[in-house]
Amino acid sequence: MNDRYWNEKIETMPRGALRKHQLQLLKEKVKFCYENTAFYRKKFKSAGISPENIKTLEDIQKIPFTVKNDLRDNYPLGMLGVKLDEIVEIHVSSGTTGNPIIGAYTRSDMDIWQELMARSLYTTGVRKQDVTHIAYGYGLFTGGFGFHYGAQKIGTAIIPVGGGMTQRQIKLMKDLGTTVLCCTPSFAVYLAETMAKEGVNPRKDLKLRIGLFGAEPWSERIRERIESELGIEAFDVYGLTELCGPGVSIECGEHDGLHIWEDHLLVETIDPKTGEVLPVGEEGELVFTALTKSGLPILRYRTRDISVVKTEKCACGRTHSRMMRIRGRSDDMLIIRGVNVFPSQVEYILMGFPELATQYQIILDRPEALDVFTIKVELTEKTLQFQVDLNALKGRILEKIHNIIGLSPIIEFVKPDEIPRTEGKAKRVLDLRSGKI
Ligand code: ADP
Ligand code: ZN
Protein backbone atom coordinates (compact mmCIF):
# COMPACT_ATOMS: atom_id res chain seq x y z
CA MET A 1 0.00 0.00 0.00
CA ASN A 2 1.26 3.45 -0.91
CA ASP A 3 0.83 5.82 1.99
CA ARG A 4 0.44 8.77 -0.34
CA TYR A 5 -3.22 7.88 -0.88
CA TRP A 6 -6.15 7.56 1.46
CA ASN A 7 -7.83 5.14 -0.93
CA GLU A 8 -5.35 4.20 -3.63
CA LYS A 9 -7.67 2.01 -5.63
CA ILE A 10 -10.24 4.75 -6.07
CA GLU A 11 -7.90 7.71 -6.34
CA THR A 12 -5.82 6.11 -9.09
CA MET A 13 -8.61 4.22 -10.86
CA PRO A 14 -8.12 4.29 -14.65
CA ARG A 15 -10.44 6.89 -16.17
CA GLY A 16 -12.31 4.35 -18.25
CA ALA A 17 -13.31 2.43 -15.14
CA LEU A 18 -14.09 5.65 -13.32
CA ARG A 19 -16.41 6.82 -16.11
CA LYS A 20 -18.13 3.43 -16.14
CA HIS A 21 -18.64 3.66 -12.40
CA GLN A 22 -20.06 7.17 -12.86
CA LEU A 23 -22.52 6.02 -15.49
CA GLN A 24 -23.81 3.27 -13.26
CA LEU A 25 -24.30 5.73 -10.38
CA LEU A 26 -25.83 8.35 -12.64
CA LYS A 27 -28.50 5.99 -13.91
CA GLU A 28 -29.37 4.98 -10.37
CA LYS A 29 -29.46 8.56 -9.11
CA VAL A 30 -31.62 9.81 -11.97
CA LYS A 31 -34.13 7.07 -11.26
CA PHE A 32 -33.97 7.86 -7.57
CA CYS A 33 -34.66 11.56 -8.17
CA TYR A 34 -37.54 10.81 -10.52
CA GLU A 35 -39.16 8.42 -8.10
CA ASN A 36 -38.60 10.33 -4.89
CA THR A 37 -38.87 14.04 -5.62
CA ALA A 38 -41.79 15.89 -7.13
CA PHE A 39 -39.33 18.59 -8.17
CA TYR A 40 -37.29 16.36 -10.51
CA ARG A 41 -40.30 14.41 -11.73
CA LYS A 42 -41.82 17.70 -12.87
CA LYS A 43 -38.55 18.87 -14.40
CA PHE A 44 -38.17 15.61 -16.33
CA LYS A 45 -41.74 15.72 -17.57
CA SER A 46 -41.44 19.28 -18.77
CA ALA A 47 -38.28 18.32 -20.66
CA GLY A 48 -40.12 15.33 -22.13
CA ILE A 49 -37.69 12.75 -20.73
CA SER A 50 -37.74 9.85 -18.31
CA PRO A 51 -34.90 8.03 -16.51
CA GLU A 52 -34.72 5.44 -19.33
CA ASN A 53 -33.46 8.18 -21.65
CA ILE A 54 -30.18 8.37 -19.71
CA LYS A 55 -28.07 5.64 -21.29
CA THR A 56 -24.67 7.33 -21.56
CA LEU A 57 -22.87 10.00 -19.57
CA GLU A 58 -23.50 12.48 -22.39
CA ASP A 59 -27.23 11.87 -22.04
CA ILE A 60 -27.03 13.93 -18.87
CA GLN A 61 -27.28 16.94 -21.17
CA LYS A 62 -30.95 16.11 -21.69
CA ILE A 63 -31.65 16.92 -18.04
CA PRO A 64 -32.46 20.58 -17.30
CA PHE A 65 -30.11 22.45 -14.94
CA THR A 66 -30.88 22.98 -11.28
CA VAL A 67 -30.19 26.53 -10.06
CA LYS A 68 -29.93 28.27 -6.72
CA ASN A 69 -33.43 29.66 -7.05
CA ASP A 70 -34.85 26.14 -7.33
CA LEU A 71 -33.41 25.47 -3.89
CA ARG A 72 -34.70 28.78 -2.56
CA ASP A 73 -38.17 28.23 -4.01
CA ASN A 74 -38.34 24.80 -2.43
CA TYR A 75 -37.15 26.05 0.95
CA PRO A 76 -37.07 24.54 3.47
CA LEU A 77 -37.47 20.84 2.72
CA GLY A 78 -39.25 20.65 -0.61
CA MET A 79 -36.42 18.91 -2.44
CA LEU A 80 -35.70 16.13 0.03
CA GLY A 81 -35.18 12.73 -1.54
CA VAL A 82 -36.11 10.89 1.66
CA LYS A 83 -38.52 11.26 4.56
CA LEU A 84 -37.42 13.61 7.29
CA ASP A 85 -36.83 10.76 9.72
CA GLU A 86 -33.95 9.57 7.54
CA ILE A 87 -32.24 12.95 7.77
CA VAL A 88 -29.58 13.05 10.47
CA GLU A 89 -28.10 16.53 10.05
CA ILE A 90 -29.07 19.81 8.40
CA HIS A 91 -26.75 22.69 7.49
CA VAL A 92 -27.76 26.09 6.24
CA SER A 93 -25.69 28.46 4.13
CA SER A 94 -25.94 32.17 4.75
CA GLY A 95 -28.17 33.19 1.84
CA THR A 96 -27.62 36.91 1.69
CA THR A 97 -30.63 37.34 -0.58
CA GLY A 98 -33.91 35.48 -0.20
CA ASN A 99 -34.27 32.15 1.52
CA PRO A 100 -31.14 30.37 2.73
CA ILE A 101 -29.87 27.15 1.13
CA ILE A 102 -30.39 23.93 3.04
CA GLY A 103 -28.03 20.98 3.06
CA ALA A 104 -29.79 17.89 4.44
CA TYR A 105 -27.82 14.68 5.02
CA THR A 106 -28.83 11.06 5.52
CA ARG A 107 -26.55 8.73 7.48
CA SER A 108 -25.03 7.57 4.21
CA ASP A 109 -24.53 11.19 3.01
CA MET A 110 -22.70 11.91 6.27
CA ASP A 111 -20.45 8.87 5.82
CA ILE A 112 -19.59 9.95 2.29
CA TRP A 113 -18.91 13.53 3.35
CA GLN A 114 -16.63 12.33 6.12
CA GLU A 115 -14.84 9.97 3.76
CA LEU A 116 -14.30 12.71 1.16
CA MET A 117 -13.03 15.17 3.73
CA ALA A 118 -10.66 12.56 5.19
CA ARG A 119 -9.45 11.84 1.66
CA SER A 120 -9.02 15.56 0.99
CA LEU A 121 -7.06 16.24 4.17
CA TYR A 122 -4.93 13.15 3.62
CA THR A 123 -4.15 14.27 0.06
CA THR A 124 -2.55 17.45 1.44
CA GLY A 125 -0.41 15.39 3.80
CA VAL A 126 -2.46 15.48 7.00
CA ARG A 127 -1.79 12.38 9.11
CA LYS A 128 -2.89 10.89 12.42
CA GLN A 129 -0.05 12.52 14.37
CA ASP A 130 -1.09 16.04 13.31
CA VAL A 131 -2.77 18.66 15.47
CA THR A 132 -5.54 20.27 13.40
CA HIS A 133 -6.77 23.76 14.17
CA ILE A 134 -10.18 24.33 12.60
CA ALA A 135 -11.02 28.02 12.37
CA TYR A 136 -13.84 27.68 9.85
CA GLY A 137 -17.21 28.57 11.36
CA TYR A 138 -18.98 25.77 13.22
CA GLY A 139 -22.74 25.89 13.57
CA LEU A 140 -24.98 26.12 10.57
CA PHE A 141 -22.18 26.45 8.01
CA THR A 142 -20.70 23.35 6.48
CA GLY A 143 -17.09 24.52 6.88
CA GLY A 144 -16.21 23.75 10.51
CA PHE A 145 -18.03 20.43 10.69
CA GLY A 146 -16.77 19.22 7.31
CA PHE A 147 -13.15 19.61 8.34
CA HIS A 148 -13.95 18.25 11.77
CA TYR A 149 -15.46 15.02 10.45
CA GLY A 150 -12.60 14.46 8.02
CA ALA A 151 -9.85 15.12 10.56
CA GLN A 152 -11.66 12.89 13.00
CA LYS A 153 -11.67 10.01 10.56
CA ILE A 154 -7.92 10.37 10.02
CA GLY A 155 -7.50 10.50 13.79
CA THR A 156 -5.64 13.80 14.19
CA ALA A 157 -5.98 15.84 17.39
CA ILE A 158 -8.66 18.39 16.57
CA ILE A 159 -8.86 21.88 18.03
CA PRO A 160 -12.43 22.97 17.08
CA VAL A 161 -11.84 26.66 17.64
CA GLY A 162 -14.28 28.08 15.06
CA GLY A 163 -14.30 31.80 14.24
CA GLY A 164 -13.21 34.81 16.29
CA MET A 165 -10.83 35.28 19.24
CA THR A 166 -7.81 35.79 17.03
CA GLN A 167 -5.29 36.34 19.84
CA ARG A 168 -6.55 33.33 21.71
CA GLN A 169 -6.30 31.25 18.54
CA ILE A 170 -2.63 32.16 18.20
CA LYS A 171 -1.99 31.28 21.83
CA LEU A 172 -3.67 27.92 21.36
CA MET A 173 -1.66 27.19 18.24
CA LYS A 174 1.50 27.94 20.17
CA ASP A 175 0.59 26.04 23.30
CA LEU A 176 -0.86 22.99 21.59
CA GLY A 177 1.72 22.65 18.82
CA THR A 178 -0.75 22.99 15.96
CA THR A 179 0.57 21.59 12.68
CA VAL A 180 -2.46 22.00 10.39
CA LEU A 181 -4.47 25.20 9.96
CA CYS A 182 -7.92 25.16 8.31
CA CYS A 183 -9.61 28.52 7.68
CA THR A 184 -10.54 31.02 4.98
CA PRO A 185 -7.55 32.54 3.17
CA SER A 186 -8.56 35.98 4.41
CA PHE A 187 -8.49 34.78 8.00
CA ALA A 188 -5.07 33.19 7.42
CA VAL A 189 -3.80 36.57 6.25
CA TYR A 190 -5.32 38.20 9.30
CA LEU A 191 -3.74 35.62 11.60
CA ALA A 192 -0.34 36.23 10.00
CA GLU A 193 -0.74 39.99 10.45
CA THR A 194 -1.78 39.63 14.06
CA MET A 195 1.15 37.31 14.75
CA ALA A 196 3.57 39.83 13.28
CA LYS A 197 2.07 42.54 15.48
CA GLU A 198 2.27 40.43 18.60
CA GLY A 199 5.86 39.43 17.92
CA VAL A 200 5.01 35.78 17.25
CA ASN A 201 7.34 34.21 14.72
CA PRO A 202 5.48 31.29 13.13
CA ARG A 203 8.69 29.58 12.03
CA LYS A 204 10.16 29.63 15.54
CA ASP A 205 7.19 29.70 17.85
CA LEU A 206 4.76 27.44 15.98
CA LYS A 207 4.86 24.00 14.43
CA LEU A 208 2.50 24.79 11.57
CA ARG A 209 3.28 22.92 8.36
CA ILE A 210 0.08 22.69 6.30
CA GLY A 211 -2.82 25.07 5.64
CA LEU A 212 -6.13 24.25 3.94
CA PHE A 213 -7.77 27.41 2.69
CA GLY A 214 -11.01 27.85 0.81
CA ALA A 215 -14.66 28.97 0.90
CA GLU A 216 -13.79 32.14 -1.04
CA PRO A 217 -11.72 33.03 -4.10
CA TRP A 218 -8.04 33.75 -3.47
CA SER A 219 -5.08 34.24 -5.76
CA GLU A 220 -1.68 32.63 -6.27
CA ARG A 221 -0.07 35.75 -4.90
CA ILE A 222 -2.01 35.47 -1.65
CA ARG A 223 -0.84 31.87 -1.50
CA GLU A 224 2.78 32.99 -1.81
CA ARG A 225 2.27 35.51 0.96
CA ILE A 226 0.53 33.12 3.33
CA GLU A 227 3.16 30.45 2.70
CA SER A 228 6.07 32.76 3.34
CA GLU A 229 4.52 34.58 6.29
CA LEU A 230 3.33 31.46 8.09
CA GLY A 231 6.08 29.13 6.88
CA ILE A 232 3.63 26.51 5.60
CA GLU A 233 2.49 24.76 2.45
CA ALA A 234 -0.94 26.11 1.49
CA PHE A 235 -3.65 24.06 -0.26
CA ASP A 236 -6.82 25.22 -1.97
CA VAL A 237 -10.00 23.43 -0.92
CA TYR A 238 -13.38 23.86 -2.58
CA GLY A 239 -16.96 22.99 -1.88
CA LEU A 240 -20.49 24.29 -1.56
CA THR A 241 -23.44 23.57 0.67
CA GLU A 242 -25.55 22.41 -2.24
CA LEU A 243 -23.16 19.48 -2.87
CA CYS A 244 -22.06 18.60 0.69
CA GLY A 245 -19.92 21.56 1.79
CA PRO A 246 -16.13 21.27 1.63
CA GLY A 247 -14.93 17.96 0.19
CA VAL A 248 -15.85 18.51 -3.46
CA SER A 249 -12.25 19.02 -4.54
CA ILE A 250 -8.77 19.48 -3.11
CA GLU A 251 -5.34 20.42 -4.31
CA CYS A 252 -2.62 17.77 -4.17
CA GLY A 253 1.11 18.37 -3.61
CA GLU A 254 1.56 19.24 -7.30
CA HIS A 255 -0.48 22.43 -6.81
CA ASP A 256 -1.79 22.19 -10.34
CA GLY A 257 -5.52 22.26 -9.80
CA LEU A 258 -7.95 20.66 -7.37
CA HIS A 259 -8.88 16.99 -7.77
CA ILE A 260 -12.64 16.58 -8.01
CA TRP A 261 -13.73 13.37 -6.30
CA GLU A 262 -15.37 11.90 -9.35
CA ASP A 263 -16.46 8.65 -7.76
CA HIS A 264 -19.16 10.79 -6.13
CA LEU A 265 -19.47 13.80 -8.42
CA LEU A 266 -19.89 14.36 -12.12
CA VAL A 267 -18.60 17.67 -13.45
CA GLU A 268 -19.44 19.59 -16.61
CA THR A 269 -18.36 23.04 -17.79
CA ILE A 270 -20.88 25.30 -19.49
CA ASP A 271 -21.00 28.70 -21.09
CA PRO A 272 -22.58 30.80 -18.31
CA LYS A 273 -24.47 32.93 -20.82
CA THR A 274 -25.94 30.29 -23.12
CA GLY A 275 -25.86 27.17 -20.95
CA GLU A 276 -24.12 25.30 -23.77
CA VAL A 277 -21.82 22.48 -22.62
CA LEU A 278 -18.19 23.31 -23.40
CA PRO A 279 -15.46 20.91 -24.45
CA VAL A 280 -13.18 19.72 -21.63
CA GLY A 281 -10.40 22.22 -21.03
CA GLU A 282 -12.38 25.37 -21.83
CA GLU A 283 -13.10 27.95 -19.19
CA GLY A 284 -16.69 28.17 -18.04
CA GLU A 285 -19.16 27.69 -15.21
CA LEU A 286 -18.87 24.45 -13.29
CA VAL A 287 -21.96 22.26 -13.14
CA PHE A 288 -22.04 19.32 -10.74
CA THR A 289 -24.22 16.27 -10.37
CA ALA A 290 -24.05 14.56 -6.98
CA LEU A 291 -23.93 10.87 -7.89
CA THR A 292 -24.44 9.43 -4.43
CA LYS A 293 -26.31 12.01 -2.36
CA SER A 294 -29.86 11.19 -1.33
CA GLY A 295 -30.94 13.52 1.52
CA LEU A 296 -31.12 16.40 -0.89
CA PRO A 297 -30.27 14.88 -4.28
CA ILE A 298 -29.06 17.27 -6.91
CA LEU A 299 -28.63 16.92 -10.67
CA ARG A 300 -26.72 19.35 -12.90
CA TYR A 301 -26.32 22.08 -10.36
CA ARG A 302 -25.09 25.42 -11.72
CA THR A 303 -22.48 26.66 -9.26
CA ARG A 304 -21.84 30.02 -10.97
CA ASP A 305 -18.14 29.37 -10.21
CA ILE A 306 -15.83 29.93 -13.17
CA SER A 307 -12.95 27.53 -13.76
CA VAL A 308 -11.30 25.14 -16.23
CA VAL A 309 -11.34 21.35 -15.85
CA LYS A 310 -8.41 19.16 -16.93
CA THR A 311 -8.72 15.42 -17.27
CA GLU A 312 -5.09 14.43 -17.87
CA LYS A 313 -3.58 12.23 -15.21
CA CYS A 314 -1.82 14.27 -12.54
CA ALA A 315 1.84 13.78 -11.62
CA CYS A 316 0.66 12.71 -8.16
CA GLY A 317 -0.81 9.57 -9.75
CA ARG A 318 -4.44 10.48 -9.16
CA THR A 319 -6.72 10.11 -12.15
CA HIS A 320 -9.62 12.24 -10.90
CA SER A 321 -9.89 15.37 -13.01
CA ARG A 322 -8.72 18.71 -11.74
CA MET A 323 -10.44 22.06 -11.66
CA MET A 324 -8.13 25.04 -11.79
CA ARG A 325 -8.34 27.70 -9.07
CA ILE A 326 -11.76 29.41 -9.21
CA ARG A 327 -11.42 32.63 -11.14
CA GLY A 328 -14.54 34.10 -9.62
CA ARG A 329 -18.27 33.63 -9.66
CA SER A 330 -20.20 34.51 -12.77
CA ASP A 331 -22.34 36.75 -10.56
CA ASP A 332 -19.25 38.37 -8.94
CA MET A 333 -17.97 39.49 -12.26
CA LEU A 334 -18.04 43.25 -12.34
CA ILE A 335 -18.82 45.22 -15.41
CA ILE A 336 -16.95 48.48 -15.10
CA ARG A 337 -17.38 50.91 -17.97
CA GLY A 338 -18.32 47.93 -20.08
CA VAL A 339 -15.21 45.94 -19.19
CA ASN A 340 -15.57 42.55 -17.47
CA VAL A 341 -13.46 42.42 -14.34
CA PHE A 342 -13.11 39.70 -11.75
CA PRO A 343 -12.05 40.94 -8.30
CA SER A 344 -9.46 38.13 -8.33
CA GLN A 345 -7.67 39.81 -11.26
CA VAL A 346 -7.33 42.99 -9.24
CA GLU A 347 -6.06 41.02 -6.27
CA TYR A 348 -3.50 39.22 -8.37
CA ILE A 349 -2.07 42.49 -9.64
CA LEU A 350 -2.02 44.21 -6.26
CA MET A 351 -0.37 41.32 -4.49
CA GLY A 352 2.54 41.47 -6.91
CA PHE A 353 3.65 44.65 -5.13
CA PRO A 354 5.46 43.85 -1.87
CA GLU A 355 4.91 47.47 -0.78
CA LEU A 356 1.19 46.69 -0.39
CA ALA A 357 -0.41 44.80 2.48
CA THR A 358 -2.98 42.09 1.79
CA GLN A 359 -6.14 44.08 2.50
CA TYR A 360 -7.85 45.89 -0.33
CA GLN A 361 -11.30 46.99 -1.37
CA ILE A 362 -12.87 47.72 -4.73
CA ILE A 363 -15.37 50.57 -4.63
CA LEU A 364 -17.65 51.28 -7.55
CA ASP A 365 -19.87 54.29 -7.84
CA ARG A 366 -21.72 56.18 -10.52
CA PRO A 367 -22.16 59.76 -9.33
CA GLU A 368 -22.88 60.89 -12.89
CA ALA A 369 -22.98 59.01 -16.15
CA LEU A 370 -19.72 57.11 -15.81
CA ASP A 371 -18.58 54.43 -13.41
CA VAL A 372 -15.97 55.55 -10.92
CA PHE A 373 -13.66 52.70 -10.07
CA THR A 374 -11.62 53.09 -6.89
CA ILE A 375 -9.20 50.65 -5.33
CA LYS A 376 -8.40 51.21 -1.70
CA VAL A 377 -5.34 49.29 -0.59
CA GLU A 378 -3.31 49.18 2.58
CA LEU A 379 0.40 49.89 2.61
CA THR A 380 2.65 47.76 4.79
CA GLU A 381 4.30 49.19 7.91
CA LYS A 382 7.64 48.85 6.14
CA THR A 383 6.52 50.94 3.18
CA LEU A 384 5.57 53.71 5.59
CA GLN A 385 8.78 53.39 7.59
CA PHE A 386 11.07 53.51 4.59
CA GLN A 387 9.23 56.44 3.03
CA VAL A 388 8.75 54.79 -0.34
CA ASP A 389 7.88 57.21 -3.17
CA LEU A 390 4.13 56.70 -3.19
CA ASN A 391 3.46 58.54 -6.41
CA ALA A 392 5.89 56.36 -8.28
CA LEU A 393 4.36 53.28 -6.69
CA LYS A 394 0.90 54.42 -7.74
CA GLY A 395 2.16 54.92 -11.28
CA ARG A 396 3.54 51.37 -11.45
CA ILE A 397 0.32 49.86 -10.10
CA LEU A 398 -1.81 51.86 -12.52
CA GLU A 399 0.31 50.79 -15.45
CA LYS A 400 -0.08 47.12 -14.55
CA ILE A 401 -3.83 47.45 -14.10
CA HIS A 402 -4.17 49.30 -17.35
CA ASN A 403 -2.15 46.70 -19.23
CA ILE A 404 -4.02 43.73 -17.86
CA ILE A 405 -7.57 44.99 -17.31
CA GLY A 406 -7.65 48.00 -19.58
CA LEU A 407 -9.01 50.41 -16.98
CA SER A 408 -7.46 53.22 -14.94
CA PRO A 409 -8.90 53.17 -11.44
CA ILE A 410 -8.29 55.70 -8.69
CA ILE A 411 -5.75 54.18 -6.33
CA GLU A 412 -6.11 55.19 -2.75
CA PHE A 413 -3.42 54.13 -0.29
CA VAL A 414 -4.47 53.70 3.30
CA LYS A 415 -2.60 52.88 6.50
CA PRO A 416 -2.30 49.30 7.71
CA ASP A 417 -5.45 48.19 9.55
CA GLU A 418 -7.71 50.81 8.04
CA ILE A 419 -9.82 48.41 5.98
CA PRO A 420 -12.21 46.42 8.18
CA ARG A 421 -11.31 42.72 8.57
CA THR A 422 -13.81 39.93 8.46
CA GLU A 423 -13.48 36.65 10.25
CA GLY A 424 -15.47 34.72 7.67
CA LYS A 425 -15.49 35.33 3.95
CA ALA A 426 -13.90 38.62 2.90
CA LYS A 427 -16.04 41.38 1.45
CA ARG A 428 -13.87 42.89 -1.24
CA VAL A 429 -16.33 44.82 -3.36
CA LEU A 430 -18.49 47.77 -2.44
CA ASP A 431 -20.78 48.45 -5.36
CA LEU A 432 -22.72 51.66 -4.85
CA ARG A 433 -23.97 51.85 -8.43
CA SER A 434 -27.27 50.04 -8.16
CA GLY A 435 -30.23 52.25 -8.80
CA LYS A 436 -28.05 55.01 -10.24
CA ILE A 437 -28.31 55.80 -13.90
P1 ADP B 1 -19.30 27.28 2.59
O1 ADP B 1 -20.18 27.46 3.78
O2 ADP B 1 -18.53 26.00 2.56
O3 ADP B 1 -18.45 28.46 2.26
P2 ADP B 1 -21.23 28.06 0.68
O4 ADP B 1 -22.20 27.16 0.06
O5 ADP B 1 -21.70 29.17 1.56
O6 ADP B 1 -20.27 27.09 1.37
O7 ADP B 1 -20.32 28.74 -0.42
C1 ADP B 1 -19.86 28.04 -1.52
C2 ADP B 1 -19.23 28.98 -2.50
O8 ADP B 1 -18.02 29.52 -1.96
C3 ADP B 1 -18.79 28.31 -3.77
O9 ADP B 1 -19.84 28.18 -4.69
C4 ADP B 1 -17.71 29.26 -4.27
O10 ADP B 1 -18.26 30.38 -4.91
C5 ADP B 1 -17.07 29.72 -2.98
N1 ADP B 1 -15.86 28.90 -2.74
C6 ADP B 1 -15.76 27.83 -1.96
N2 ADP B 1 -14.49 27.34 -1.97
C7 ADP B 1 -13.78 28.14 -2.80
C8 ADP B 1 -12.42 28.15 -3.26
N3 ADP B 1 -11.53 27.28 -2.84
N4 ADP B 1 -12.08 29.10 -4.16
C9 ADP B 1 -12.98 30.00 -4.60
N5 ADP B 1 -14.26 30.04 -4.20
C10 ADP B 1 -14.66 29.12 -3.31
ZN1 ZN C 1 -2.59 15.48 -8.21
Side-chain angles (χ1 to χ4, degrees):
M1 214 187 83
N2 189 331
D3 103 315
R4 169 188 267 202
Y5 309 108
W6 174 254
N7 187 331
E8 184 169 1
K9 190 163 162 258
I10 288 184
E11 290 169 50
T12 62
M13 186 183 259
R15 284 204 67 78
L18 190 54
R19 299 291 280 171
K20 216 165 131 192
H21 176 68
Q22 286 186 313
L23 178 59
Q24 180 61 33
L25 292 174
L26 176 67
K27 285 183 183 165
E28 287 168 16
K29 194 48 66 186
V30 163
K31 189 160 175 281
F32 175 90
C33 287
Y34 189 80
E35 287 171 359
N36 295 286
T37 71
F39 171 79
Y40 280 112
R41 207 160 38 245
K42 211 166 116 201
K43 247 193 168 51
F44 273 55
K45 285 197 171 135
S46 66
I49 54 167
S50 69
E52 293 73 53
N53 295 113
I54 309 300
K55 295 197 174 73
T56 67
L57 284 175
E58 287 65 42
D59 285 339
I60 196 173
Q61 294 177 21
K62 296 177 182 161
I63 303 173
F65 295 118
T66 305
V67 296
K68 215 175 203 90
N69 272 344
D70 291 326
L71 291 162
R72 295 222 160 102
D73 294 346
N74 288 282
Y75 175 87
L77 302 172
M79 278 173 72
L80 290 197
V82 297
K83 293 219 171 61
L84 190 55
D85 68 355
E86 279 189 57
I87 297 294
V88 298
E89 193 161 313
I90 294 179
H91 284 272
V92 183
S93 105
S94 51
T96 37
T97 50
N99 283 331
I101 301 292
I102 295 285
Y105 305 72
T106 61
R107 185 65 256 162
S108 147
D109 294 338
M110 291 299 292
D111 293 344
I112 293 167
W113 189 23
Q114 181 169 40
E115 174 69 17
L116 293 186
M117 276 312 289
R119 203 194 279 173
S120 298
L121 285 153
Y122 199 89
T123 298
T124 67
V126 177
R127 296 294 180 269
K128 191 178 174 315
Q129 48 284 9
D130 276 304
V131 178
T132 309
H133 184 102
I134 302 176
Y136 283 105
Y138 278 77
L140 287 173
F141 292 123
T142 55
F145 280 99
F147 282 87
H148 193 98
Y149 295 136
Q152 197 162 56
K153 186 145 188 176
I154 292 178
T156 81
I158 298 171
I159 321 293
V161 67
M165 313 179 291
T166 311
Q167 266 122 350
R168 187 142 169 241
Q169 295 215 12
I170 297 170
K171 177 173 166 48
L172 288 174
M173 279 191 222
K174 222 158 71 177
D175 296 348
L176 301 173
T178 299
T179 54
V180 178
L181 170 64
C182 309
C183 63
T184 58
S186 45
F187 190 61
V189 165
Y190 186 46
L191 275 173
E193 265 181 9
T194 313
M195 284 182 200
K197 246 186 246 160
E198 312 244 308
V200 175
N201 177 344
R203 284 194 170 75
K204 269 197 4 237
D205 305 329
L206 305 180
K207 297 201 176 110
L208 275 184
R209 59 185 199 94
I210 292 175
L212 284 96
F213 307 117
E216 63 185 4
W218 53 309
S219 64
E220 274 309 304
R221 291 263 168 76
I222 286 279
R223 186 213 299 275
E224 287 160 19
R225 287 200 171 193
I226 295 176
E227 289 191 330
S228 80
E229 282 167 27
L230 290 178
I232 57 170
E233 185 175 358
F235 293 86
D236 195 1
V237 48
Y238 169 84
L240 55 159
T241 309
E242 296 85 325
L243 293 175
C244 65
V248 171
S249 64
I250 186 78
E251 220 171 44
C252 65
E254 300 299 323
H255 299 284
D256 186 20
L258 291 78
H259 286 287
I260 298 166
W261 298 126
E262 289 181 287
D263 51 328
H264 293 277
L265 295 157
L266 184 66
V267 65
E268 300 167 87
T269 316
I270 62 163
D271 179 327
K273 286 208 189 80
T274 62
E276 182 201 346
V277 175
L278 298 172
V280 173
E282 277 190 30
E283 182 175 273
E285 176 181 343
L286 300 178
V287 170
F288 284 100
T289 294
L291 295 170
T292 49
K293 201 156 96 94
S294 36
L296 207 154
I298 200 143
L299 305 175
R300 300 198 90 203
Y301 184 67
R302 289 188 63 159
T303 61
R304 303 196 272 196
D305 294 325
I306 306 292
S307 175
V308 178
V309 175
K310 286 193 192 165
T311 50
E312 300 92 62
K313 186 171 167 178
C314 179
C316 74
R318 291 181 182 83
T319 49
H320 294 235
S321 56
R322 281 164 289 156
M323 50 181 264
M324 298 301 116
R325 183 185 280 290
I326 299 282
R327 208 150 87 86
R329 300 171 58 99
S330 56
D331 47 0
D332 276 355
M333 194 186 71
L334 304 167
I335 304 181
I336 310 173
R337 299 196 177 192
V339 180
N340 294 350
V341 181
F342 279 108
S344 60
Q345 288 175 297
V346 174
E347 175 176 305
Y348 186 80
I349 298 169
L350 295 178
M351 294 306 125
F353 291 89
E355 296 89 344
L356 304 178
T358 39
Q359 296 297 325
Y360 68 95
Q361 204 169 32
I362 296 172
I363 302 157
L364 300 170
D365 204 355
R366 192 178 291 154
E368 286 164 28
L370 282 179
D371 291 338
V372 176
F373 174 21
T374 308
I375 298 173
K376 223 186 210 185
V377 59
E378 284 182 7
L379 297 167
T380 63
E381 291 286 1
K382 269 204 188 120
T383 306
L384 290 175
Q385 261 168 30
F386 293 110
Q387 298 182 345
V388 170
D389 179 346
L390 295 183
N391 273 332
L393 176 62
K394 212 173 259 185
R396 284 189 288 132
I397 298 172
L398 273 174
E399 190 187 330
K400 257 270 153 61
I401 293 181
H402 193 259
N403 284 344
I404 297 178
I405 304 180
L407 290 169
S408 301
I410 299 165
I411 307 279
E412 206 180 295
F413 291 138
V414 296
K415 289 204 214 76
D417 274 346
E418 215 167 294
I419 296 176
R421 269 52 173 171
T422 43
E423 270 154 6
K425 302 193 188 205
K427 190 135 186 44
R428 306 284 196 200
V429 181
L430 194 61
D431 196 339
L432 308 168
R433 296 175 299 177
S434 62
K436 299 186 183 171
I437 315 149

